[in-house]
Amino acid sequence: REVDCRNLMVLPGLIDPHVHLRDPGDPTVENFSDGTRGAILGGITTLFDMPNTAEPVINLPTLTKKIASMRGQIWCDVGLYIGATKRNALELETLETHDAVCAIKLFLGSSRGDMLVDDDESVERIMRHGSRRICFHSEDHDRLQKRRAMYEEGDPHHMHAEWHDVECAFLGTRRLTALAAATGRPIHILHVSTAEELEYLKAYRHLVTTEILVNHLTHVGPDIYDRLGGLAVMNPPIRDSFHHEAIWKAVREGRVDCIGSDHAPHPLEAKLRPWPATAAGLTGVQTLVPVMLDHVSSGRLSLEQMVQLMAAGPARVYGLRNKGHILPGYDADFTIVDMGAQRTITTDWIVSPCGWTPFDGHDCNGWPVMTVVRGNIVMRDDEVLGSAGGQCASFSKAAS
Ligand code: DOR
Ligand code: ZN
Ligand code: ZN
Protein backbone atom coordinates (compact mmCIF):
# COMPACT_ATOMS: atom_id res chain seq x y z
CA ARG A 1 0.00 0.00 0.00
CA GLU A 2 1.22 3.44 -0.90
CA VAL A 3 2.36 5.75 1.86
CA ASP A 4 2.57 9.45 1.06
CA CYS A 5 5.15 11.10 3.29
CA ARG A 6 5.37 14.43 1.51
CA ASN A 7 5.89 17.24 4.05
CA LEU A 8 6.24 14.69 6.82
CA MET A 9 9.31 13.64 8.82
CA VAL A 10 10.22 9.95 9.18
CA LEU A 11 11.83 9.30 12.56
CA PRO A 12 13.18 6.05 13.96
CA GLY A 13 10.55 4.35 16.16
CA LEU A 14 10.29 6.41 19.35
CA ILE A 15 10.68 4.62 22.68
CA ASP A 16 9.03 5.41 26.01
CA PRO A 17 11.43 3.82 28.51
CA HIS A 18 9.31 4.53 31.60
CA VAL A 19 5.72 3.25 31.65
CA HIS A 20 3.55 1.68 34.37
CA LEU A 21 0.86 -0.34 32.54
CA ARG A 22 -0.54 -1.72 35.85
CA ASP A 23 -1.30 -5.11 34.29
CA PRO A 24 -2.23 -7.32 36.13
CA GLY A 25 -4.12 -4.94 38.36
CA ASP A 26 -7.26 -2.95 37.81
CA PRO A 27 -8.20 -3.00 34.09
CA THR A 28 -10.57 -0.07 34.62
CA VAL A 29 -7.54 2.11 35.38
CA GLU A 30 -5.03 0.78 32.82
CA ASN A 31 -4.16 -2.49 31.05
CA PHE A 32 -1.89 -3.82 28.28
CA SER A 33 -4.39 -3.38 25.47
CA ASP A 34 -5.49 0.20 26.23
CA GLY A 35 -2.04 1.33 27.42
CA THR A 36 -0.30 0.15 24.24
CA ARG A 37 -3.06 1.51 21.98
CA GLY A 38 -2.49 4.86 23.68
CA ALA A 39 1.22 4.44 22.96
CA ILE A 40 0.82 3.86 19.20
CA LEU A 41 -1.76 6.65 18.86
CA GLY A 42 0.90 8.86 20.43
CA GLY A 43 3.68 7.69 18.09
CA ILE A 44 5.47 5.25 20.43
CA THR A 45 6.71 1.99 18.85
CA THR A 46 8.33 0.42 21.94
CA LEU A 47 7.77 0.94 25.65
CA PHE A 48 9.40 -0.46 28.76
CA ASP A 49 6.94 -1.56 31.45
CA MET A 50 7.61 -1.16 35.18
CA PRO A 51 7.42 -4.09 37.65
CA ASN A 52 5.48 -2.45 40.52
CA THR A 53 2.17 -4.10 39.62
CA ALA A 54 -0.42 -5.49 42.08
CA GLU A 55 1.64 -8.67 41.95
CA PRO A 56 5.21 -7.34 41.70
CA VAL A 57 7.42 -8.80 38.95
CA ILE A 58 10.37 -9.93 41.07
CA ASN A 59 11.14 -13.52 40.05
CA LEU A 60 10.91 -15.95 37.11
CA PRO A 61 7.31 -17.12 37.76
CA THR A 62 5.92 -13.57 37.90
CA LEU A 63 7.98 -12.55 34.84
CA THR A 64 6.82 -15.59 32.87
CA LYS A 65 3.23 -14.90 33.87
CA LYS A 66 3.46 -11.31 32.69
CA ILE A 67 4.94 -12.34 29.34
CA ALA A 68 2.13 -14.89 28.87
CA SER A 69 -0.59 -12.38 29.75
CA MET A 70 0.78 -9.84 27.24
CA ARG A 71 0.29 -12.22 24.31
CA GLY A 72 -2.31 -10.94 21.85
CA GLN A 73 -2.89 -7.83 24.00
CA ILE A 74 -0.09 -5.46 23.05
CA TRP A 75 -0.10 -3.08 20.06
CA CYS A 76 3.53 -2.00 20.29
CA ASP A 77 6.67 -3.81 21.40
CA VAL A 78 7.17 -4.03 25.16
CA GLY A 79 10.32 -4.56 27.23
CA LEU A 80 9.96 -5.55 30.87
CA TYR A 81 11.65 -4.34 34.03
CA ILE A 82 12.36 -6.83 36.77
CA GLY A 83 11.98 -5.48 40.31
CA ALA A 84 14.72 -5.58 42.95
CA THR A 85 13.84 -6.57 46.52
CA LYS A 86 15.98 -6.97 49.64
CA ARG A 87 16.04 -10.71 49.07
CA ASN A 88 16.33 -11.40 45.34
CA ALA A 89 19.91 -10.26 44.49
CA LEU A 90 20.95 -13.75 43.36
CA GLU A 91 17.84 -14.27 41.27
CA LEU A 92 18.29 -10.88 39.61
CA GLU A 93 21.68 -11.92 38.29
CA THR A 94 20.01 -14.64 36.20
CA LEU A 95 16.84 -12.70 35.40
CA GLU A 96 18.68 -9.68 33.99
CA THR A 97 19.95 -11.92 31.17
CA HIS A 98 16.39 -12.84 30.14
CA ASP A 99 15.79 -11.72 26.56
CA ALA A 100 12.69 -9.63 27.39
CA VAL A 101 14.16 -7.83 30.42
CA CYS A 102 15.14 -4.23 29.69
CA ALA A 103 16.66 -3.64 33.14
CA ILE A 104 16.44 -4.17 36.87
CA LYS A 105 14.35 -1.47 38.57
CA LEU A 106 15.16 -0.53 42.15
CA PHE A 107 13.03 1.78 44.29
CA LEU A 108 15.25 3.46 46.90
CA GLY A 109 12.11 5.25 48.08
CA SER A 110 8.52 5.76 46.99
CA SER A 111 7.20 2.27 46.62
CA ARG A 112 4.84 -0.03 48.36
CA GLY A 113 5.37 -3.47 49.77
CA ASP A 114 8.13 -5.74 48.69
CA MET A 115 9.78 -3.49 46.16
CA LEU A 116 11.44 -1.05 48.54
CA VAL A 117 15.23 -1.40 48.93
CA ASP A 118 16.15 1.51 51.17
CA ASP A 119 19.45 0.44 52.79
CA ASP A 120 22.92 0.76 51.24
CA GLU A 121 23.91 -2.78 52.17
CA SER A 122 21.09 -4.32 50.11
CA VAL A 123 21.69 -1.95 47.19
CA GLU A 124 25.40 -2.79 47.18
CA ARG A 125 24.68 -6.53 47.25
CA ILE A 126 22.43 -6.13 44.20
CA MET A 127 25.09 -4.04 42.44
CA ARG A 128 27.70 -6.75 43.04
CA HIS A 129 25.52 -9.41 41.35
CA GLY A 130 25.23 -9.18 37.57
CA SER A 131 26.59 -6.58 35.16
CA ARG A 132 23.83 -4.77 33.26
CA ARG A 133 22.94 -1.16 34.00
CA ILE A 134 20.49 -0.90 36.94
CA CYS A 135 17.66 1.67 36.89
CA PHE A 136 16.83 3.62 40.03
CA HIS A 137 14.04 5.65 41.51
CA SER A 138 16.53 7.61 43.58
CA GLU A 139 14.38 9.45 46.14
CA ASP A 140 15.60 8.65 49.67
CA HIS A 141 12.94 6.70 51.59
CA ASP A 142 13.44 8.21 55.06
CA ARG A 143 13.54 11.69 53.65
CA LEU A 144 10.36 11.02 51.66
CA GLN A 145 8.57 9.86 54.83
CA LYS A 146 9.78 13.00 56.60
CA ARG A 147 8.38 15.15 53.81
CA ARG A 148 4.97 13.54 54.19
CA ALA A 149 5.03 13.92 57.99
CA MET A 150 5.98 17.56 57.62
CA TYR A 151 2.86 18.27 55.60
CA GLU A 152 0.64 16.09 57.74
CA GLU A 153 1.62 18.33 60.64
CA GLY A 154 -0.20 21.10 58.88
CA ASP A 155 2.16 22.93 56.56
CA PRO A 156 -0.07 25.65 55.09
CA HIS A 157 1.39 25.23 51.60
CA HIS A 158 0.23 21.61 51.32
CA MET A 159 1.33 20.00 48.08
CA HIS A 160 2.49 23.35 46.74
CA ALA A 161 5.58 23.17 48.92
CA GLU A 162 6.63 19.76 47.61
CA TRP A 163 9.00 21.24 45.07
CA HIS A 164 11.06 22.77 47.89
CA ASP A 165 12.28 19.35 48.94
CA VAL A 166 15.25 18.99 46.63
CA GLU A 167 17.31 17.06 49.16
CA CYS A 168 15.09 13.96 48.97
CA ALA A 169 16.15 13.22 45.38
CA PHE A 170 19.68 14.64 45.71
CA LEU A 171 20.48 12.57 48.81
CA GLY A 172 19.37 9.34 47.07
CA THR A 173 21.31 10.22 43.92
CA ARG A 174 24.48 10.82 45.96
CA ARG A 175 24.07 7.53 47.84
CA LEU A 176 23.57 5.55 44.62
CA THR A 177 26.42 7.26 42.77
CA ALA A 178 28.80 6.46 45.64
CA LEU A 179 27.75 2.81 45.53
CA ALA A 180 28.10 2.68 41.74
CA ALA A 181 31.60 4.18 42.01
CA ALA A 182 32.57 1.69 44.74
CA THR A 183 31.31 -1.35 42.83
CA GLY A 184 31.96 -0.20 39.25
CA ARG A 185 28.37 -1.09 38.33
CA PRO A 186 26.81 1.20 35.70
CA ILE A 187 23.54 2.78 36.80
CA HIS A 188 20.73 4.79 35.22
CA ILE A 189 18.98 7.38 37.37
CA LEU A 190 15.36 7.75 36.38
CA HIS A 191 13.51 11.07 36.42
CA VAL A 192 16.37 13.33 37.52
CA SER A 193 14.57 16.52 38.49
CA THR A 194 16.93 18.94 40.24
CA ALA A 195 19.76 21.32 39.34
CA GLU A 196 21.84 19.88 42.18
CA GLU A 197 21.70 16.30 40.87
CA LEU A 198 22.62 17.38 37.34
CA GLU A 199 25.58 19.44 38.52
CA TYR A 200 26.79 16.59 40.75
CA LEU A 201 26.40 13.95 38.02
CA LYS A 202 28.63 15.87 35.57
CA ALA A 203 31.63 14.07 37.08
CA TYR A 204 30.08 10.61 36.68
CA ARG A 205 28.98 10.51 33.03
CA HIS A 206 31.19 7.43 32.45
CA LEU A 207 29.15 5.44 34.99
CA VAL A 208 25.79 7.13 35.50
CA THR A 209 23.26 7.73 32.70
CA THR A 210 20.15 9.83 33.23
CA GLU A 211 16.48 10.12 32.33
CA ILE A 212 14.41 13.31 32.40
CA LEU A 213 10.62 13.28 32.30
CA VAL A 214 8.45 15.25 29.91
CA ASN A 215 6.46 16.39 32.97
CA HIS A 216 9.51 18.10 34.47
CA LEU A 217 10.33 19.65 31.08
CA THR A 218 6.82 21.00 30.59
CA HIS A 219 5.21 21.78 33.95
CA VAL A 220 6.54 24.33 36.44
CA GLY A 221 5.71 24.67 40.14
CA PRO A 222 4.11 26.16 42.06
CA ASP A 223 1.69 27.35 39.32
CA ILE A 224 0.96 23.83 38.10
CA TYR A 225 -0.38 22.84 41.54
CA ASP A 226 -2.76 25.79 41.49
CA ARG A 227 -3.93 24.85 38.00
CA LEU A 228 -4.13 21.03 38.28
CA GLY A 229 -4.26 20.30 42.02
CA GLY A 230 -3.87 16.57 42.69
CA LEU A 231 -3.48 15.84 38.96
CA ALA A 232 0.02 17.37 39.22
CA VAL A 233 1.14 15.24 42.18
CA MET A 234 3.96 12.85 41.35
CA ASN A 235 7.28 11.58 42.74
CA PRO A 236 9.69 13.23 42.26
CA PRO A 237 7.54 16.37 42.37
CA ILE A 238 7.20 19.04 39.70
CA ARG A 239 9.89 21.64 40.51
CA ASP A 240 10.10 25.41 40.24
CA SER A 241 11.56 27.36 37.32
CA PHE A 242 15.13 27.21 38.68
CA HIS A 243 15.23 23.41 38.31
CA HIS A 244 13.09 23.50 35.17
CA GLU A 245 15.68 25.68 33.43
CA ALA A 246 18.55 23.54 34.78
CA ILE A 247 17.13 20.33 33.29
CA TRP A 248 16.57 22.04 29.93
CA LYS A 249 20.18 23.24 30.01
CA ALA A 250 21.36 19.68 30.70
CA VAL A 251 19.22 18.37 27.81
CA ARG A 252 20.68 20.93 25.40
CA GLU A 253 24.24 20.28 26.58
CA GLY A 254 23.92 16.53 25.96
CA ARG A 255 24.12 15.50 29.64
CA VAL A 256 20.85 13.57 29.49
CA ASP A 257 20.42 10.13 27.86
CA CYS A 258 16.68 9.45 27.76
CA ILE A 259 13.33 11.21 27.96
CA GLY A 260 10.34 9.26 29.30
CA SER A 261 6.76 9.81 30.39
CA ASP A 262 6.58 7.88 33.69
CA HIS A 263 3.02 7.02 32.61
CA ALA A 264 1.51 6.13 36.02
CA PRO A 265 -2.30 5.98 35.86
CA HIS A 266 -4.42 6.18 39.01
CA PRO A 267 -8.20 6.39 39.34
CA LEU A 268 -9.40 9.98 39.17
CA GLU A 269 -10.86 9.82 42.69
CA ALA A 270 -7.42 8.81 44.07
CA LYS A 271 -5.87 11.83 42.33
CA LEU A 272 -8.49 14.16 43.81
CA ARG A 273 -8.07 12.93 47.40
CA PRO A 274 -6.84 15.76 49.62
CA TRP A 275 -3.10 15.98 50.21
CA PRO A 276 -1.18 14.01 51.46
CA ALA A 277 -3.46 11.09 50.52
CA THR A 278 -3.32 12.11 46.82
CA ALA A 279 -2.08 9.23 44.62
CA ALA A 280 1.29 10.17 43.09
CA GLY A 281 1.79 9.65 39.35
CA LEU A 282 0.67 11.17 36.03
CA THR A 283 -0.51 9.58 32.80
CA GLY A 284 1.66 10.30 29.75
CA VAL A 285 2.52 7.52 27.30
CA GLN A 286 0.07 8.88 24.71
CA THR A 287 1.05 12.54 25.10
CA LEU A 288 4.85 12.19 25.29
CA VAL A 289 5.61 12.57 21.57
CA PRO A 290 3.12 15.39 20.82
CA VAL A 291 4.38 17.43 23.81
CA MET A 292 8.04 16.86 22.85
CA LEU A 293 7.34 17.77 19.20
CA ASP A 294 5.85 21.02 20.47
CA HIS A 295 9.04 21.68 22.43
CA VAL A 296 10.94 21.14 19.15
CA SER A 297 8.62 23.59 17.36
CA SER A 298 9.16 26.22 20.02
CA GLY A 299 12.93 25.81 19.68
CA ARG A 300 13.72 24.33 23.10
CA LEU A 301 15.57 21.42 21.48
CA SER A 302 16.21 20.24 17.92
CA LEU A 303 14.45 17.34 16.25
CA GLU A 304 17.86 15.59 16.12
CA GLN A 305 18.24 16.00 19.88
CA MET A 306 14.73 14.64 20.41
CA VAL A 307 15.54 11.55 18.32
CA GLN A 308 18.76 11.06 20.29
CA LEU A 309 16.84 11.21 23.57
CA MET A 310 13.82 9.15 22.50
CA ALA A 311 15.29 6.49 20.18
CA ALA A 312 19.08 6.23 20.08
CA GLY A 313 19.54 7.06 23.78
CA PRO A 314 17.16 4.45 25.23
CA ALA A 315 18.42 1.83 22.72
CA ARG A 316 21.99 2.43 23.91
CA VAL A 317 21.29 2.71 27.66
CA TYR A 318 19.11 -0.42 27.80
CA GLY A 319 20.88 -2.41 25.07
CA LEU A 320 17.72 -2.74 22.93
CA ARG A 321 18.43 -5.14 20.06
CA ASN A 322 17.02 -4.72 16.57
CA LYS A 323 18.03 -7.68 14.44
CA GLY A 324 21.18 -7.87 16.53
CA HIS A 325 22.02 -4.18 16.28
CA ILE A 326 21.87 -1.75 19.21
CA LEU A 327 20.32 0.93 17.04
CA PRO A 328 16.64 1.76 16.64
CA GLY A 329 14.88 1.43 13.29
CA TYR A 330 16.64 -1.64 11.86
CA ASP A 331 13.49 -3.73 12.18
CA ALA A 332 11.39 -1.04 10.42
CA ASP A 333 9.99 0.75 13.49
CA PHE A 334 9.14 4.31 12.48
CA THR A 335 7.29 7.27 13.90
CA ILE A 336 6.13 9.60 11.13
CA VAL A 337 5.36 13.13 12.24
CA ASP A 338 3.77 16.22 10.76
CA MET A 339 5.66 19.23 12.14
CA GLY A 340 3.10 21.55 10.50
CA ALA A 341 0.11 20.07 12.33
CA GLN A 342 -1.57 22.22 14.97
CA ARG A 343 -3.51 20.16 17.47
CA THR A 344 -4.79 20.39 21.01
CA ILE A 345 -4.56 17.47 23.45
CA THR A 346 -7.95 16.76 25.01
CA THR A 347 -9.06 14.15 27.52
CA ASP A 348 -11.46 12.54 25.03
CA TRP A 349 -8.48 11.62 22.80
CA ILE A 350 -6.91 9.65 25.70
CA VAL A 351 -7.40 5.88 25.48
CA SER A 352 -6.35 5.02 29.04
CA PRO A 353 -9.49 3.98 30.94
CA CYS A 354 -8.41 6.08 33.94
CA GLY A 355 -9.68 8.92 31.76
CA TRP A 356 -7.52 11.94 32.59
CA THR A 357 -4.38 13.68 31.39
CA PRO A 358 -2.36 16.53 32.90
CA PHE A 359 -2.10 17.88 29.34
CA ASP A 360 -5.82 18.51 28.72
CA GLY A 361 -6.04 21.69 26.63
CA HIS A 362 -2.30 21.65 25.78
CA ASP A 363 -1.71 23.07 22.28
CA CYS A 364 0.85 21.21 20.15
CA ASN A 365 2.68 22.33 17.04
CA GLY A 366 3.71 18.97 15.59
CA TRP A 367 1.87 15.65 15.83
CA PRO A 368 2.58 11.95 15.15
CA VAL A 369 0.52 10.88 12.12
CA MET A 370 1.76 7.32 11.56
CA THR A 371 3.24 4.60 13.74
CA VAL A 372 5.01 1.66 12.06
CA VAL A 373 5.92 -1.36 14.21
CA ARG A 374 8.17 -3.92 12.51
CA GLY A 375 6.95 -2.83 9.09
CA ASN A 376 3.24 -2.82 9.97
CA ILE A 377 1.31 0.45 9.95
CA VAL A 378 -0.51 0.26 13.28
CA MET A 379 -1.64 3.90 13.49
CA ARG A 380 -2.50 6.33 10.73
CA ASP A 381 -4.17 9.73 11.25
CA ASP A 382 -5.43 8.96 14.77
CA GLU A 383 -6.78 5.57 13.74
CA VAL A 384 -5.54 2.24 15.09
CA LEU A 385 -5.02 -0.29 12.28
CA GLY A 386 -4.53 -4.05 12.11
CA SER A 387 -4.30 -6.15 15.25
CA ALA A 388 -2.45 -6.31 18.54
CA GLY A 389 0.74 -7.70 16.99
CA GLY A 390 3.27 -6.27 19.44
CA GLN A 391 6.07 -8.50 20.69
CA CYS A 392 8.46 -8.67 23.60
CA ALA A 393 11.37 -6.37 22.86
CA SER A 394 14.78 -8.04 22.95
CA PHE A 395 17.86 -6.88 24.87
CA SER A 396 21.57 -7.48 24.88
CA LYS A 397 22.83 -9.55 27.78
CA ALA A 398 26.02 -7.56 28.04
CA ALA A 399 26.48 -4.37 30.05
CA SER A 400 25.61 -1.27 28.02
O1 DOR B 1 4.72 9.34 41.01
C1 DOR B 1 5.05 8.16 40.94
N1 DOR B 1 4.17 7.21 40.59
N2 DOR B 1 6.31 7.83 41.23
C2 DOR B 1 6.69 6.53 41.31
O2 DOR B 1 7.84 6.27 41.51
C3 DOR B 1 5.71 5.45 41.16
C4 DOR B 1 4.60 5.88 40.29
C5 DOR B 1 3.46 4.92 40.33
O3 DOR B 1 3.66 3.72 40.11
O4 DOR B 1 2.31 5.36 40.54
ZN1 ZN C 1 10.00 6.54 39.94
ZN1 ZN D 1 7.82 5.42 37.41
Side-chain angles (χ1 to χ4, degrees):
R1 202 154 62 126
E2 205 176 290
V3 175
D4 184 354
C5 289
R6 271 174 296 183
N7 300 319
L8 304 178
M9 306 289 267
V10 181
L11 312 182
L14 299 177
I15 299 165
D16 188 344
H18 193 154
V19 175
H20 301 258
L21 288 184
R22 310 282 195 224
D23 202 338
D26 181 355
T28 68
V29 176
E30 190 58 287
N31 56 73
F32 285 133
S33 171
D34 291 328
T36 56
R37 270 194 304 131
I40 58 170
L41 281 164
I44 295 292
T45 58
T46 302
L47 63 83
F48 303 161
D49 182 49
M50 286 290 175
N52 62 330
T53 28
E55 182 180 28
V57 180
I58 53 174
N59 50 32
L60 188 59
T62 47
L63 177 66
T64 311
K65 199 163 142 190
K66 192 177 218 181
I67 291 170
S69 68
M70 277 162 36
R71 210 153 287 143
Q73 298 295 311
I74 52 175
W75 290 81
C76 63
D77 287 355
V78 175
L80 297 174
Y81 286 90
I82 182 95
T85 76
K86 291 186 186 185
R87 289 171 304 281
N88 71 350
L90 271 176
E91 246 170 320
L92 289 173
E93 188 167 5
T94 311
L95 284 170
E96 73 164 12
T97 65
H98 192 292
D99 208 44
V101 169
C102 64
I104 294 166
K105 167 71 182 282
L106 191 150
F107 287 90
L108 197 64
S110 180
S111 182
R112 352 157 237 200
D114 214 18
M115 278 205 53
L116 184 67
V117 184
D118 56 352
D119 62 296
D120 284 10
E121 204 190 325
S122 301
V123 175
E124 181 169 345
R125 190 170 56 245
I126 290 161
M127 283 185 177
R128 290 198 187 278
H129 287 90
S131 60
R132 289 184 66 197
R133 193 174 290 274
I134 307 177
C135 295
F136 288 92
H137 182 118
S138 76
E139 286 184 299
D140 180 270
H141 184 66
D142 291 341
R143 177 75 195 198
L144 200 61
Q145 297 310 107
K146 230 180 259 168
R147 180 163 96 206
R148 298 231 130 177
M150 198 160 90
Y151 298 118
E152 264 155 340
E153 278 159 23
D155 184 290
H157 298 292
H158 302 289
M159 64 179 86
H160 298 214
E162 271 216 296
W163 50 264
H164 286 305
D165 188 17
V166 167
E167 184 58 16
C168 182
F170 189 27
L171 175 59
T173 289
R174 290 200 307 275
R175 282 176 58 198
L176 294 170
T177 303
L179 291 168
T183 60
R185 186 74 179 260
I187 65 170
H188 184 57
I189 301 195
L190 299 164
H191 43 47
V192 174
S193 61
T194 67
E196 285 81 351
E197 287 167 285
L198 287 161
E199 185 59 35
Y200 179 80
L201 290 173
K202 275 182 181 169
Y204 295 95
R205 291 287 295 147
H206 58 290
L207 201 56
V208 184
T209 51
T210 52
E211 173 197 74
I212 298 269
L213 298 184
V214 65
N215 293 310
H216 293 121
L217 288 171
T218 313
H219 299 313
V220 187
D223 320 29
I224 193 70
Y225 295 105
D226 293 329
R227 197 157 68 74
L228 295 182
L231 291 192
V233 170
M234 60 177 293
N235 288 321
I238 305 292
R239 308 292 183 180
D240 66 4
S241 57
F242 172 73
H243 299 287
H244 181 79
E245 290 310 323
I247 63 174
W248 269 114
K249 188 162 182 280
V251 164
R252 278 192 295 267
E253 291 178 0
R255 287 182 281 122
V256 172
D257 300 279
C258 302
I259 286 176
S261 74
D262 201 354
H263 179 71
H266 292 279
L268 189 56
E269 56 274 19
K271 293 299 289 174
L272 300 181
R273 262 184 237 136
W275 178 259
T278 321
L282 312 188
T283 61
V285 70
Q286 192 172 343
T287 48
L288 174 61
V289 174
V291 172
M292 286 309 300
L293 290 175
D294 186 60
H295 285 311
V296 169
S297 295
S298 62
R300 297 212 81 161
L301 80 170
S302 67
L303 195 56
E304 288 77 8
Q305 283 169 320
M306 179 179 147
V307 168
Q308 277 300 316
L309 290 158
M310 297 186 65
R316 171 174 47 80
V317 166
Y318 292 83
L320 179 69
R321 281 197 304 206
N322 289 267
K323 305 238 184 299
H325 302 275
I326 313 251
L327 268 180
Y330 279 28
D331 55 357
D333 284 354
F334 300 109
T335 302
I336 301 176
V337 303
D338 180 356
M339 292 308 290
Q342 292 187 320
R343 296 278 300 266
T344 302
I345 294 171
T346 54
T347 300
D348 59 7
W349 177 63
I350 299 294
V351 177
S352 174
C354 80
W356 59 272
T357 166
F359 293 106
D360 185 41
H362 191 88
D363 295 324
C364 294
N365 286 303
W367 197 262
V369 292
M370 207 182 297
T371 307
V372 182
V373 177
R374 272 173 290 93
N376 302 305
I377 300 174
V378 290
M379 184 280 283
R380 188 174 196 162
D381 297 328
D382 292 327
E383 215 184 304
V384 169
L385 302 172
S387 59
Q391 295 179 6
C392 278
S394 163
F395 298 88
S396 165
K397 289 162 181 48
S400 54

